C-alpha cells in the first residue's frame, strides 16, 4: 500500500450500522493498517465483531479492503486487520447476472419541493451488475433521463441500496410496460461493493443449484 494515504473507511458500529469516516492510513504489517482520525470524530460504539470496508489506490488500480477492527488504540487511532481484498468494482462492473430483486424507482428532478412519485417494478426479474441494471418499468423514460433507484438486497442483514442512474435504453415489454437499462451515475462505494458481492454470491448459488440438479 506504500506510505500514508487519506482514506474514507466505513466502520461497523453497534446500533447505528456502518458509518463513513475519513482518516489517514499507514500499513504496519502484511494485513494490518493503522488509521489516524481527527479528534472527536470516532464514535464510542465501534463494533469489533463487525466488518470495515474501504477502497484505496495501490500501484494503479483501486482495491477494496474488508476486515475487522483489531484494536481501538485510543479515541483517534485504530488498527484494522484486512481479511479480504479485491479489485474495485469498476474492474468488474460489466459482470451481469439475472436474478430476482425488488426494485423501486422514481423520476429524479433537482430542487423540487415534495416527494417524487415512487413506482414498484411489476417484475422482480432484473439483470444486475456493479455498473447498472435492466428492469421493467411502468412508464417510458427518455434516454439520458435520471432515475432514482432503490434495491432491496437480501441478507442477512437485508440492505437497502439507493442510487441514481442514467437511462441508456428503453424498449416496449408488452402493454404499458418498458424494459429499462440504467447506468449507475451516483452510488456510494460501499453500496456498489454490496451490489457486486451480492451478484457474485448469487452466481455461486445458481451454479450450485445447477450442479445439484444435474447430479440427481
Amino acid at each position: 500500500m506504500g506510505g500514508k494515504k487519506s482514506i474514507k473507511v466505513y466502520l461497523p458500529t453497534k446500533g447505528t450500522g456502518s458509518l463513513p469516516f475519513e482518516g489517514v492510513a499507514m500499513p504496519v504489517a502484511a494485513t494490518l493498517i493503522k488509521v489516524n482520525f481527527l479528534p472527536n470524530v470516532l464514535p464510542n460504539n465501534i463494533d469489533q465483531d463487525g466488518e470495515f470496508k474501504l477502497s484505496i489506490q495501490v500501484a494503479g488500480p483501486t482495491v477494496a479492503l474488508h476486515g475487522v477492527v483489531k484494536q481501538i488504540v485510543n479515541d483517534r487511532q485504530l488498527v484494522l486487520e484486512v481479511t479480504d481484498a479485491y479489485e474495485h468494482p469498476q474492474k468488474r462492473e460489466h459482470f451481469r447476472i439475472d436474478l430476482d430483486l425488488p426494485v423501486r424507482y422514481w423520476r429524479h428532478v433537482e430542487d423540487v419541493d415534495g416527494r417524487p412519485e415512487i413506482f414498484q417494478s411489476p417484475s422482480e426479474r432484473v439483470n444486475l451488475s456493479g455498473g447498472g441494471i435492466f428492469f421493467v418499468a411502468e412508464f417510458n423514460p427518455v434516454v439520458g433521463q435520471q432515475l432514482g433507484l432503490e434495491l432491496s438486497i437480501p441478507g442477512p442483514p437485508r440492505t437497502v441500496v439507493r442510487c441514481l442512474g442514467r437511462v441508456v435504453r428503453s424498449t416496449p415489454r408488452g402493454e404499458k410496460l418498458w424494459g429499462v437499462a440504467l447506468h449507475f451515475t451516483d452510488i456510494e462505494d460501499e453500496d456498489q461493493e454490496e451490489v457486486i458481492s451480492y451478484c457474485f454470491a448469487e452466481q455461486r448459488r445458481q451454479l450450485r443449484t445447477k450442479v445439484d440438479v444435474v447430479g440427481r
Side-chain angles (χ1 to χ4, degrees):
M1 191 172 81
K4 295 181 179 180
K5 293 181 181 291
S6 297
I7 62 164
K8 177 187 286 187
V9 55
Y10 289 83
L11 295 175
T13 62
K14 298 176 181 177
T16 50
S18 182
L19 300 175
F21 299 91
E22 294 185 357
V24 177
M26 173 179 287
V28 293
T31 60
L32 297 180
I33 303 172
K34 180 171 64 177
V35 185
N36 292 318
F37 302 86
L38 292 174
N40 304 314
V41 168
L42 289 178
N44 57 13
N45 61 336
I46 292 174
D47 183 4
Q48 290 190 255
D49 293 324
E51 181 184 61
F52 78 80
K53 297 179 182 180
L54 67 88
S55 297
I56 196 164
Q57 191 170 27
V58 181
T62 300
V63 174
L65 304 178
H66 295 188
V68 296
V69 179
K70 183 175 180 64
Q71 182 184 6
I72 301 175
V73 180
N74 52 48
D75 61 354
R76 296 182 57 181
Q77 188 177 94
L78 302 177
V79 175
L80 308 179
E81 183 174 15
V82 178
T83 58
D84 191 18
Y86 54 86
E87 272 194 24
H88 199 261
Q90 279 89 328
K91 297 298 183 180
R92 299 182 176 184
E93 66 180 10
H94 298 297
F95 169 77
R96 311 190 70 90
I97 186 169
D98 293 320
L99 46 81
D100 292 322
L101 197 70
V103 175
R104 302 174 74 200
Y105 60 99
W106 57 92
R107 297 177 177 90
H108 176 71
V109 182
E110 298 285 355
D111 300 324
V112 172
D113 295 332
R115 291 177 58 86
E117 183 179 6
I118 297 177
F119 299 85
Q120 178 80 40
S121 174
S123 171
E124 292 190 358
R125 196 65 176 172
V126 303
N127 183 265
L128 181 67
S129 79
I133 187 173
F134 181 86
F135 68 100
V136 176
E138 294 179 294
F139 62 83
N140 185 15
V142 178
V143 172
Q145 181 178 358
Q146 288 266 73
L147 297 183
L149 198 70
E150 181 181 281
L151 306 175
S152 184
I153 307 293
R158 180 175 292 273
T159 302
V160 175
V161 171
R162 295 183 180 90
C163 61
L164 295 179
R166 185 183 71 253
V167 177
V168 295
R169 188 173 70 258
S170 180
T171 55
R173 293 289 294 267
E175 186 177 357
K176 297 182 179 180
L177 293 177
W178 287 265
V180 177
L182 205 68
H183 174 71
F184 298 148
T185 57
D186 188 356
I187 183 171
E188 291 285 341
D189 287 347
E190 184 184 40
D191 286 340
Q192 192 174 41
E193 290 174 19
E194 191 73 38
V195 171
I196 292 290
S197 297
Y198 176 64
C199 285
F200 275 88
E202 182 64 16
Q203 181 199 42
R204 291 193 295 269
R205 187 195 67 79
Q206 291 182 13
L207 288 175
R208 287 197 300 269
T209 300
K210 289 180 180 178
V211 169
D212 290 342
V213 171
V214 171
R216 289 177 183 173

